[in-house]
Amino acid sequence: MSDIGRSAAVALLGVSGRLVEVEAHLTSQLPGFSIIGLPDTSLGEARERVRSAAANAGCPLPARRITVNLTPAAIPKRGSGFDLAIAMAVLAAAGTAPRTSGRVVYVGELGLDGRVRPVPGVVPMVLAARAAGVARVVVPVGNLEEALVVPGVLVHGVDSLRGAAIDAGAMLPAVDVDPVLPTALADVRVPDAEFGDVLGNEIGVRAMLTAAAGGHHVLLLGPPGAGKTMLAERLPGLLPDLHSEAALEVAAVRSVAGLGARSWTTRPPWEAPHHSASAIALIGGGSGTIRPGAVSRATQGVLFLDEAPEFPRAVLDALRQPLESGRITVHRAAGSAEFPARCQVVLAANPCPCGHAGSRPELGGPVCDCSPTTVRRYLARMSGPLLDRIDIRVQVPRVTAAVMRRSAGTTPTTAEARVVVEAARARMTDRLAGTGWSRNAEVTGAWLRGPGRAEPGATTALDRGLELGTLTMRGWDRVMRLAWTIADLTAVDRPGGDQVSAALGLRSGL
């Protein structure tokens, strides 16, 4: 005599999920429990968790030979989030939970006492279930708030295996259980800073407004205390709220990172790793489960690298591919995972190790004791190919007392600046409708030289720089993207010579 029960789970790799059918086969052979279908070590240990949880939940597994198959077998399956699906498939095969089926996805880790524990990555799991056409997902109570942010699918929370069995038709009396709630990681607080507090720094203010409007990357070079960090911290406040699809993408990454119920946000995220961060911390990875790095956690938001030359050069160069493509693929021996990386990168750097290069000691300013070789070596930690991918590169000077008094109250407030940015974004959205792009920083060179070409004769200076080798083809494209953003900020239909010159000034302002 043999019986087969089925349920469904989701195998997660990065922020991409794949529906997995869980089959449980019961036979009359000697009692045993085996799991096949490419499970990892933690998933292989589900045998003992499921058996103990079922016994303590009041629905013990039958004393028969149990074989659980995870299909497709070729997909790697990691983590303890398959426990609940395995247990429900076995109970379905035993006839205890008759309404369990392969059209219901079960997510959750089982404790030995029968309670269902929350797991990370529930948002992309529910998104994968929705994409596969599944109408119902059962998750731990501790993940319910997090899972409910995904529309278009029915989500049900359970606190124990007994509760899940009762939900699937088990004839068992309900028992009150203290649910296991998640211990979320500390959220990264987005700076709540007022843009109007910036004094002077006219070039920096213009750079931040342009970057916010077009989604451009920025390099701020200047001495200590010039206001580089102050400007960077005000960039998230200038960005518009995230639309629903962008917010879901952010929530998926934050869910995999373990932020739990705080995964959902409509504000652009902010990441500011220390310069001692490794390449894995920046781009993602890990020896077991592949986790997103800072560049992915900042997707749709801002990644700020203060003291950029203090980062190891190899770490900075790891950003070159995600800056170009907006995606990052992390390869490990166990497999590869792809994460979104559509963030705005802001680099801040001193002009030299002591920070006083370019000062005027003859007027009483600080003396720079760095040799020219030291300065070149210091700035060379930011490689040429990396800097070529930075759209805006400006020098932020020290603010003098005269500038401070003269510029008081001239910088727009955050609310005023956001209105300007949103108006420019609206013009971009109308112009780029149907192209798949929404910001000027995303358009391709083919579009810039075709439908998005500038006024006749406006690119003469760029063409000359391309011929002389002072500007790469990538640099030509990025200047034109900036020119389009400046045109949108000034409500000009098409970039002309003034907009191209202003864009070239923002890119070569060092």
Side-chain angles (χ1 to χ4, degrees):
M1 185 177 74
S2 64
D3 299 285
I4 293 181
R6 290 181 174 86
S7 66
V10 174
L12 199 61
L13 192 58
V15 292
S16 300
R18 175 78 178 270
L19 196 68
V20 173
E21 183 180 4
V22 182
E23 300 174 304
H25 183 212
L26 307 185
T27 66
S28 299
Q29 300 172 3
L30 290 175
F33 197 149
S34 60
I35 299 176
I36 59 177
L38 208 59
D40 71 344
T41 302
S42 60
L43 182 50
E45 293 171 348
R47 298 187 302 268
E48 307 306 325
R49 290 193 300 270
V50 169
R51 193 183 296 278
S52 297
N56 290 317
C59 46
L61 304 184
R64 299 166 63 183
R65 175 68 183 176
I66 302 172
T67 303
V68 174
N69 181 37
L70 307 176
T71 306
I75 298 176
K77 302 160 190 77
R78 302 181 178 88
S80 56
F82 290 84
D83 289 2
L84 184 58
I86 292 172
M88 294 305 296
V90 175
L91 293 179
T96 305
R99 290 205 297 267
T100 304
S101 74
R103 302 306 301 166
V104 179
V105 169
Y106 290 92
V107 176
E109 175 186 339
L110 291 176
L112 299 183
D113 57 358
R115 293 187 296 174
V116 183
R117 298 177 176 274
V119 295
V122 165
V123 171
M125 290 182 187
V126 178
L127 285 171
R130 186 186 69 175
V134 174
R136 194 164 187 265
V137 181
V138 178
V139 301
V141 169
N143 289 129
L144 182 58
E145 183 181 356
E146 177 184 359
L148 287 174
V149 304
V150 182
V153 62
L154 180 61
V155 179
H156 177 68
V158 294
D159 53 14
S160 64
L161 177 57
R162 186 186 186 95
I166 293 172
D167 177 68
M171 302 301 292
L172 298 170
V175 176
D176 290 335
V177 175
D178 292 331
V180 181
L181 300 179
T183 54
L185 298 177
D187 195 2
V188 179
R189 181 178 175 272
V190 178
D192 185 15
E194 173 55 52
F195 196 56
D197 292 342
V198 178
L199 295 176
N201 280 326
E202 180 182 348
I203 183 68
V205 169
R206 187 162 68 250
M208 289 298 106
L209 280 173
T210 308
H216 305 284
H217 308 304
V218 185
L219 168 63
L220 302 174
L221 185 70
K228 304 184 296 295
T229 302
M230 186 179 189
L231 288 166
E233 288 179 342
R234 279 146 181 81
L235 179 57
L238 306 182
L239 301 178
D241 289 341
L242 302 176
H243 57 81
S244 58
E245 288 302 317
L248 274 178
E249 182 180 67
V250 172
V253 176
R254 288 161 64 94
S255 178
V256 172
L259 290 182
R262 287 183 286 180
S263 298
W264 178 260
T265 179
T266 58
R267 291 299 303 149
W270 162 270
E271 289 286 332
H274 190 260
H275 58 73
S276 61
S278 64
I280 291 177
L282 196 62
I283 67 171
S287 57
T289 302
I290 302 177
R291 298 294 186 188
V295 68
S296 296
R297 295 195 302 273
T299 191
Q300 303 293 343
V302 178
L303 174 65
F304 176 48
L305 302 183
D306 199 6
E307 306 294 345
E310 299 297 338
F311 283 81
R313 178 165 175 165
V315 174
L316 289 177
D317 282 344
L319 290 173
R320 285 156 57 175
Q321 184 261 336
L323 286 185
E324 196 72 21
S325 65
R327 310 287 298 179
I328 181 70
T329 303
V330 181
H331 294 273
R332 293 293 180 267
S336 62
E338 187 177 70
F339 296 98
R342 283 186 285 269
C343 63
Q344 290 182 245
V345 175
V346 179
L347 305 178
N350 293 329
C352 67
C354 75
H356 300 315
S359 62
R360 304 187 63 182
E362 68 275 9
L363 300 179
V367 178
C368 175
D369 55 4
C370 302
S371 67
T373 302
T374 301
V375 174
R376 285 197 301 270
R377 186 182 301 117
Y378 178 74
L379 295 178
R381 297 178 187 177
M382 299 181 293
S383 65
L386 173 65
L387 294 180
D388 199 35
R389 289 166 167 82
I390 304 298
D391 301 354
I392 300 174
R393 304 182 298 196
V394 296
Q395 191 161 8
V396 182
R398 280 194 177 94
V399 178
T400 64
V403 171
M404 182 173 60
R405 295 188 184 96
R406 186 175 65 249
S407 62
T410 59
T411 303
T413 65
T414 299
E416 294 169 346
R418 192 185 294 181
V419 169
V420 174
V421 169
E422 289 176 346
R425 288 277 183 105
R427 282 188 281 272
M428 295 177 205
T429 302
D430 292 342
R431 182 176 62 253
L432 299 175
T435 63
W437 309 309
S438 60
R439 302 178 302 177
N440 289 330
E442 301 169 355
V443 301
T444 62
W447 184 87
L448 292 169
R449 289 178 288 278
R453 59 183 176 272
E455 294 288 347
T459 63
T460 302
L462 300 187
D463 299 340
R464 181 63 174 166
L466 200 60
E467 293 173 0
L468 294 176
T470 58
L471 197 66
T472 65
M473 196 68 233
R474 182 191 292 117
W476 193 99
D477 291 346
R478 291 189 178 275
V479 172
M480 284 308 303
R481 292 169 185 166
L482 272 176
W484 267 110
T485 300
I486 294 171
D488 289 326
L489 285 169
T490 54
V492 176
D493 291 336
R494 189 174 292 272
D498 292 342
Q499 287 74 38
V500 173
S501 297
L504 192 58
L506 282 176
R507 180 168 175 83
S508 57
L510 300 183

